[in-house]
């Protein structure tokens, strides 16, 4: 068969490119509604007024800025008629051997419905930020979306159900606010949870998580949301990841609900650049438009029975969502199996392939898939080597540039390797090999992750239908590529493009250079289904039988990677993320500069002129992790204080009550208990709640570790320790303030540098030991 037809090839090139772009474009968030819109409409412009106030500065729990944001929000809630209340509480959980505690100030309000009030819809977002982030996207946008939604609700008649507004505190340090709310009397009224989050500052608001037994809530969400972006694949992926949000607490408690977030602009996540000016208002509009519609929908229906067997759901074309019961998967899998058998039989009868050729096609496509994906491991490693100051967990500013570059390289490699294979194997032998391998992968998905089966099932089903039609019409025998041949294949490929291509993009947005092979693997699966069309393009754009198209793609992809790397250079708009922390041991008056990274940058190298690598054993007795560290000048600052309030003996126990305080008004405390022997410690309580502690081995006796985040306004806490009568105890007390000592910074931080994200970045930690 001769495939050279430049008119058809040009049409296919434009059509495939256009469909791929359209599949992504149709899922972009809606345009923002202006502030002049009717009162009953959600307006991103109005919501941005709240974001501007919330995200003026970093406002992590325990800081003065956090208290200012809380005051602003309480005022706004009061103006909205929510009669707000503050829930101050201490919440707890364990992270490995470390006991985690957080003092929270949750903000609660309630819009009364016309019903009995025992079924309520909970609108939830967190108002605290990471310590080095302004939090416009995460989660100022979520808070603003709730406030603007409540304002719009107030402009129309009341709903049947109550609406509870919960602005949680301490999400960034351990979901403390959500944990605390579960003890509030309103928690028992919650029948539906709508949580909004962010993992970036732009992109569509994707509903990536639902409560288990999601059949009912998925159906209701799809019907009510004006711009649904949802998939059971995302639900399955997220459920297998270690990530948590406030929604996790409610999901684990059995509540029904949905969790939505925008995830593009990951490089700004938990950074100082997560600012109002960098927040995409389209994303905020997407948050709010969906939220308002969902509240109005759920607020008017019965919420007694909100559980049903899990279903399969996904966006097909734009906002058109396909939804069907999970049990129907077996019907679709059976139909696909039957179609594959029929296609194979027809292909053999039409003498398009032989059994051995199909087997060879299966093996060669598997090899091709593994080769293309495998090559991106060293390629990506080489790219990262050109970005020595870009830490993998931060994302990259030029994510879209890298996405385009990687797709061009993958496409070029796939076409080139396919050209090599097709020099001795017939085209439809390789195509049938693609079908068989993808059928095997589909069955594996069905058995392991049934809710994700659709990702391979429908693309394979419709592509096989197209190829089967070619065989029935004998178009595969033609010496020339006809318009019928091309159009049949193109139409059959539409489901594959519109189902797989957006996921290719979402996966790259989510992981970027951290894990690009996942996105590339999905892309190569899509290319396998497009193989006959790609062959038309390759043979139409060749030169003297040499594959010109893949060469052009490989060259263009390489140039694009170089451009993307160059675009990562730090600037006032693309800041370099620099990590440094200051530790002071007030016991021996020794101080250290510390960094998580061995490679210094142009700004933080001033602190590491004579650095070494090792654990912080002078600060933490159980330290094991290796850091870059150097000696620092001690500063004159008040150390944290442990004051004995009582010390009594009861039976065989000694009970010590300590008041822990930070005279320098730090944000957090950290406590390490160091008993004289392994069986000395009996029990420990913080603010009246008994902690679950696990011993951490050291070279001497075990220690017990407690982190206490978000100190109250009084900057103190009460610790009760029960130990064996007659025994002594060392209490290592640390307080954390969220900045390094500016008096020791010789070279001020330039505009193109910002503190690295994280709880241990840009922090001053002071330790003091007390013996009781």
């Amino acid at each position: 068969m001769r495939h050279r037809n430049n008119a058809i090839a040009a049409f296919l090139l434009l059509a495939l490119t256009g469909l791929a772009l359209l599949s992504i474009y149709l899922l972009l968030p809606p345009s923002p509604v202006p502030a002049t819109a009717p009162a009953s409409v959600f307006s991103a412009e109005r919501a941005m007024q709240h974001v501007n106030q919330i995200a003026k500065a970093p406002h992590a729990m325990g800081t003065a800025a956090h208290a200012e944001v809380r005051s602003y929000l309480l005022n706004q809630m009061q103006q909205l008629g929510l009669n707000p209340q503050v829930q101050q509480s201490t919440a707890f959980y364990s992270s490995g051997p470390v006991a985690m505690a957080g003092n929270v100030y949750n903000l609660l309000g309630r819009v009364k419905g016309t019903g009995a009030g025992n079924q309520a819809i909970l609108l939830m977002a967190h108002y605290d930020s990471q310590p080095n982030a302004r939090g416009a996207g995460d989660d100022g946008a979520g808070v603003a979306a709730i406030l603007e939604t409540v304002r719009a609700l107030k402009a129309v008649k009341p709903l049947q159900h109550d609406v509870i507004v919960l602005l949680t505190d301490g999400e960034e340090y351990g979901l403390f606010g959500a944990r605390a709310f579960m003890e509030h009397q309103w928690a028992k009224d919650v029948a539906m949870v709508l949580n909004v989050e962010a993992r970036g500052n732009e992109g569509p608001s994707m509903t990536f998580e639902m409560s288990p037994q999601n059949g009912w809530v998925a159906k209701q969400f799809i019907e009510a949301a004006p711009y649904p972006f949802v998939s059971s694949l995302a639900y399955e992926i997220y459920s297998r990841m270690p990530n948590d949000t406030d929604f996790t607490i409610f999901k684990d408690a059995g509540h029904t609900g949905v969790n939505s977030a925008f995830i593009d602009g990951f490089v700004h996540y938990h950074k100082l650049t997560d600012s109002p000016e960098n927040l995409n208002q389209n994303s905020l509009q997407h948050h709010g438009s969906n939220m308002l519609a969902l509240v109005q929908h759920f607020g008017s229906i019965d919420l007694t029975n909100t559980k049903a067997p899990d279903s399969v759901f996904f966006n097909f074309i734009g906002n058109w969502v396909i939804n069907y019961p999970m049990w129907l998967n077996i019907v679709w899998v059976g139909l696909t199996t039957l179609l594959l058998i029929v296609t194979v039989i027809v292909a053999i009868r039409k003498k398009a392939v032989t059994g051995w050729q199909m087997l060879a096609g299966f093996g060669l496509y598997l090899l091709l898939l593994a080769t293309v994906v495998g090559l991106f491991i060293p390629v990506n490693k080489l790219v990262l080597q050109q970005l020595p100051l870009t830490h993998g967990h931060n994302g990259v500013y030029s994510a879209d540039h890298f996405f385009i570059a990687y797709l061009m390289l993958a496409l070029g490699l796939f076409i080139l390797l396919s050209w090599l294979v097709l020099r001795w194997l017939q085209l439809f032998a390789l195509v049938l090999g693609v079908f068989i391998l993808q059928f095997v992968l589909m069955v594996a998905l069905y058995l392991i992750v049934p809710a994700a089966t659709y990702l391979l099932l429908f693309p394979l089903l419709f592509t096989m239908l197209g190829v089967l039609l070619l065989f029935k019409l004998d178009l595969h025998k033609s010496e020339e590529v006809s318009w019928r041949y091309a159009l049949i294949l193109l139409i059959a490929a539409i489901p594959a493009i519109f189902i797989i291509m957006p996921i290719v993009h979402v996966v790259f947005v989510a992981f970027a250079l951290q894990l690009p092979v996942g996105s590339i693997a999905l892309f190569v699966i899509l290319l396998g289904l497009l193989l006959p069309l790609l062959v038309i393009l390759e043979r139409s754009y060749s030169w003297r039988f040499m594959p010109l198209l893949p060469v052009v793609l490989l060259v263009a992809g390489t140039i694009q990677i170089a451009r993307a790397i160059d675009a990562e250079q730090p600037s006032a708009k693309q800041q370099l993320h620099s990590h440094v922390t200051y530790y002071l041991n007030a016991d021996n008056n020794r101080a250290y500069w510390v960094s998580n990274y061995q490679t210094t940058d142009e700004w933080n190298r001033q602190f590491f002129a004579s650095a070494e690598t090792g654990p912080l054993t002078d600060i933490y007795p159980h330290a094991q992790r290796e850091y870059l560290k150097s000696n620092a000048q001690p500063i004159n600052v008040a150390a944290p204080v442990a004051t004995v309030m009582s010390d009594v003996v009861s039976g065989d126990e000694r009970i010590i009550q300590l008041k822990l305080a930070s005279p320098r008004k730090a944000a957090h405390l950290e406590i390490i208990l160091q008993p004289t022997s392994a069986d000395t410690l009996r029990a420990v309580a913080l603010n009246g709640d008994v902690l679950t502690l696990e011993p951490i081995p050291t070279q001497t006796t075990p220690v017990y570790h407690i982190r206490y985040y978000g100190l109250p306004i009084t900057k103190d806490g009460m610790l009760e320790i029960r130990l064996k009568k007659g025994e002594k105890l060392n209490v290592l007390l640390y307080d954390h303030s969220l900045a390094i000592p500016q008096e020791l910074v010789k070279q001020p931080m330039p505009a193109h540098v910002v503190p690295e994200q994280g709880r241990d970045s840009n922090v001053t930690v002071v330790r003091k030991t007390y013996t009781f």
Side-chain angles (χ1 to χ4, degrees):
M1 180 188 294
R2 293 189 302 165
H3 289 270
R4 193 174 186 88
N5 188 316
N6 291 336
I8 293 178
F11 167 75
L12 287 177
L13 184 60
L14 289 173
L16 289 173
T17 304
L19 288 172
L21 293 175
L22 187 63
S23 70
I24 297 171
Y25 174 79
L26 289 177
L27 290 171
L28 292 179
S31 299
V33 172
T36 54
S40 60
V41 175
F42 183 98
S43 165
E45 286 190 7
R46 284 192 290 251
M48 276 302 299
Q49 297 172 18
H50 299 302
V51 176
N52 289 330
Q53 295 299 316
I54 294 167
K56 284 183 177 179
H59 47 283
M61 61 188 305
T63 63
H66 179 254
E68 291 177 7
V69 171
R70 179 165 65 251
S71 177
Y72 169 79
L73 293 175
L74 282 170
N75 180 264
Q76 295 301 307
M77 293 172 73
Q78 187 67 49
Q79 290 184 33
L80 288 170
L82 288 171
N83 298 317
Q85 58 177 270
V86 178
Q87 180 198 13
Q88 183 181 4
S89 180
T90 306
F92 305 88
Y93 78 101
S94 295
S95 177
V98 182
M100 314 289 277
N103 176 80
V104 298
Y105 294 92
N106 285 339
L107 310 182
L108 290 82
R110 193 158 183 159
V111 180
K112 294 297 294 182
T114 59
N118 58 352
Q119 289 185 341
I121 303 164
L122 179 70
L123 304 184
M124 180 169 57
H126 67 90
Y127 73 94
D128 64 308
S129 77
Q130 275 268 322
N132 297 304
R134 290 171 65 180
D138 180 26
D139 195 20
V143 173
I146 290 175
L147 294 178
E148 172 63 6
T149 294
V150 171
R151 185 210 57 75
L153 288 174
K154 289 280 189 172
V156 296
K157 64 180 183 179
L159 301 173
Q160 176 185 344
H161 302 305
D162 288 8
V163 176
I164 298 173
V165 170
L166 171 60
L167 306 182
T168 64
D169 188 11
E171 191 272 352
E172 297 290 2
Y173 284 91
L175 318 181
F176 290 118
R179 298 176 196 276
F181 178 76
M182 298 307 292
E183 304 300 320
H184 193 277
Q185 60 180 356
W186 287 359
K188 68 180 185 303
D189 298 336
V190 174
M192 177 63 57
V193 180
L194 303 179
N195 187 60
V196 277
E197 263 284 3
R199 190 177 173 265
N201 64 353
E202 59 181 325
S205 179
M206 178 172 61
T207 300
F208 64 96
E209 186 180 21
M210 291 186 180
S211 48
Q213 296 180 278
N214 60 42
W216 182 87
V217 71
K219 181 177 182 293
Q220 300 298 322
F221 173 86
I222 293 164
E223 289 178 358
Y227 306 105
F229 184 17
V230 63
S231 81
S232 48
L233 170 66
Y235 167 82
E236 292 288 356
I237 291 175
Y238 188 80
S239 68
R240 288 162 170 77
M241 295 176 67
N243 307 58
D244 288 320
T245 68
D246 282 335
F247 184 75
T248 304
I249 304 301
F250 290 83
K251 180 184 68 174
D252 291 347
H255 288 282
T256 299
V258 296
N259 196 8
S260 305
F262 42 84
I263 65 172
D264 210 345
F266 176 57
V267 71
H268 300 286
Y269 178 59
H270 288 173
K271 313 290 194 318
L272 203 61
T273 51
D274 184 12
S275 58
E277 55 269 25
N278 286 334
L279 177 65
N280 189 308
Q281 289 193 34
N282 296 21
S283 302
L284 178 55
Q285 185 67 49
H286 199 173
H287 256 353
S289 294
N290 278 355
M291 178 182 288
L292 178 58
L294 290 171
V295 174
Q296 291 172 329
H297 175 76
F298 287 120
S300 304
I301 63 175
D302 182 39
L303 300 177
T304 304
N305 298 307
T306 61
K307 303 291 185 182
D310 285 351
S311 62
V312 178
F313 44 90
F314 58 94
N315 288 73
F316 178 36
I317 298 177
N319 295 323
W320 176 13
V321 179
I322 305 294
N323 179 32
Y324 61 86
M326 188 82 73
W327 63 263
L328 202 56
N329 262 340
I330 188 63
V331 177
W332 290 114
V333 170
L335 182 61
T336 306
T337 304
L338 179 62
L339 185 61
L340 177 62
I341 294 170
V342 171
T343 304
V344 168
I345 292 172
V346 171
I348 293 174
R349 286 181 177 175
K350 294 283 187 177
K351 297 186 178 177
V353 296
T354 66
W356 286 108
Q357 287 175 335
M358 279 191 299
L359 185 61
F362 171 86
L364 287 169
Y365 176 62
L366 177 59
L367 179 62
L368 194 154
L369 174 64
T371 301
V372 175
V373 175
L375 282 173
F376 271 87
I377 296 174
V379 166
N380 193 62
K381 185 176 180 180
L382 181 61
V383 168
L384 291 174
Q385 288 173 354
Q386 310 310 309
L387 303 168
L389 299 178
T390 298
H391 308 136
H393 61 273
N394 279 334
V396 287
Y397 291 100
S398 305
D400 287 341
H401 293 292
F402 282 109
F403 178 64
I404 294 169
Y406 279 29
L407 290 195
M408 285 195 293
L409 287 179
L411 180 57
L413 281 169
F414 182 84
I415 294 176
L416 181 61
L417 294 175
S418 299
W419 173 79
L420 290 172
V421 169
L422 294 175
R423 288 174 66 85
W424 62 276
L425 185 69
Q426 293 184 25
L427 170 61
F428 285 100
L430 186 56
V431 170
L432 267 293
V434 169
F435 291 165
I436 295 170
L437 178 59
Q438 294 205 17
F439 176 80
V440 171
L441 295 176
M442 180 204 70
V443 171
L445 268 183
Y446 171 70
L447 296 174
I448 301 171
V449 193
T453 307
Y454 78 89
L455 182 65
L456 299 182
L457 191 153
F458 294 106
L460 178 60
L461 182 66
F462 283 93
T463 305
M464 283 197 299
L465 278 172
V467 170
L468 181 60
L469 186 57
L470 290 184
F471 290 152
K472 296 297 286 184
L473 297 176
D474 290 326
L475 294 176
H476 65 290
K477 296 179 180 179
S478 175
E479 289 295 319
E480 294 287 343
V481 173
S482 66
W483 281 98
R484 275 204 306 169
Y485 178 94
L487 287 174
I488 288 171
L489 289 174
L490 181 62
I491 293 170
I494 288 175
I497 295 171
F498 276 89
I499 291 174
I500 298 178
M501 194 63 204
I503 303 299
V504 171
H505 182 247
V506 167
V507 171
F508 195 90
V509 164
F511 300 106
L513 301 187
Q514 286 180 281
L515 191 65
V517 292
S519 185
I520 296 303
L522 283 173
F523 187 56
V524 176
I525 285 173
L526 173 61
L527 295 181
L529 298 174
L530 301 179
L531 181 61
L533 295 171
L534 296 177
V535 168
I536 295 174
L537 296 178
E538 178 270 309
R539 294 183 181 177
S540 297
Y541 296 108
S542 59
W543 181 69
R544 294 184 179 179
F545 301 104
M546 296 300 293
L548 184 61
L549 180 60
V551 173
V552 170
L553 286 167
L554 291 172
V555 171
T558 303
I559 294 172
Q560 180 66 13
I561 283 181
R563 292 182 60 206
I565 292 172
D566 184 65
E568 286 300 302
Q569 296 303 312
S571 68
K573 292 186 177 181
Q574 296 189 172
Q575 284 92 338
L576 181 149
H577 306 120
S578 187
H579 188 283
V580 64
T581 297
Y582 179 84
Y583 289 88
L584 172 64
N585 187 337
D587 299 327
N588 55 20
N589 205 35
R590 294 188 62 182
Y592 306 90
W593 295 114
V594 174
S595 176
N596 284 348
Y597 307 102
Q598 304 301 313
T599 302
T600 57
D601 56 65
E602 59 181 278
W603 178 74
N604 75 356
R605 68 171 56 104
Q606 65 180 301
F607 307 109
F608 301 101
S610 55
E612 62 179 15
T613 300
L616 296 175
T617 50
D618 189 46
I619 303 296
Y620 296 99
H622 58 294
Q624 293 183 341
R625 181 179 173 182
E626 298 282 315
Y627 293 94
L628 184 69
K629 60 180 184 177
S630 66
N631 292 326
Q633 177 184 338
I635 58 174
N636 185 18
V637 64
V641 176
T643 304
V644 177
M645 306 304 291
S646 69
D647 187 348
V648 298
V649 174
S650 176
D652 64 345
E653 284 188 340
R654 180 188 177 197
I655 306 171
I656 308 172
Q657 288 191 334
L658 300 176
K659 182 179 181 180
L660 311 178
S662 173
R664 64 190 188 94
K665 307 299 181 184
H668 316 305
L669 284 177
E670 196 173 4
I671 308 145
I672 292 179
L673 305 178
Q674 193 175 39
T676 54
S677 61
D679 61 345
T680 296
L681 204 62
R682 299 286 179 83
V684 178
L686 179 64
N687 295 340
D689 289 287
V690 178
L691 302 176
T692 300
L693 297 177
E694 296 182 19
I696 303 173
T698 68
Q699 293 182 349
T700 55
T701 58
V703 298
Y704 300 84
H705 197 166
I706 305 164
R707 293 182 181 270
Y708 180 27
Y709 292 112
L711 293 181
I713 297 172
T714 54
K715 297 300 178 184
D716 60 15
M718 295 298 298
L719 188 71
E720 181 181 277
I721 306 168
R722 293 175 177 265
L723 61 158
K724 187 188 296 184
K725 177 182 175 182
E727 297 287 345
K728 291 186 176 182
L729 177 74
N730 289 331
V731 176
L732 282 62
L733 187 60
Y734 309 72
D735 63 0
H736 297 229
S737 54
L738 307 185
I740 60 174
Q742 290 303 299
E743 63 269 28
L744 301 183
V745 180
K746 298 177 181 178
Q747 177 190 344
M749 185 176 283
H752 65 275
V753 177
V754 294
E756 175 63 278
Q757 66 166 301
R759 307 171 188 178
D760 64 345
S761 174
N762 191 38
V763 174
T764 294
V765 181
V766 179
R767 164 189 151 168
K768 181 68 176 176
T769 302
Y770 297 90
T771 302
F772 302 102

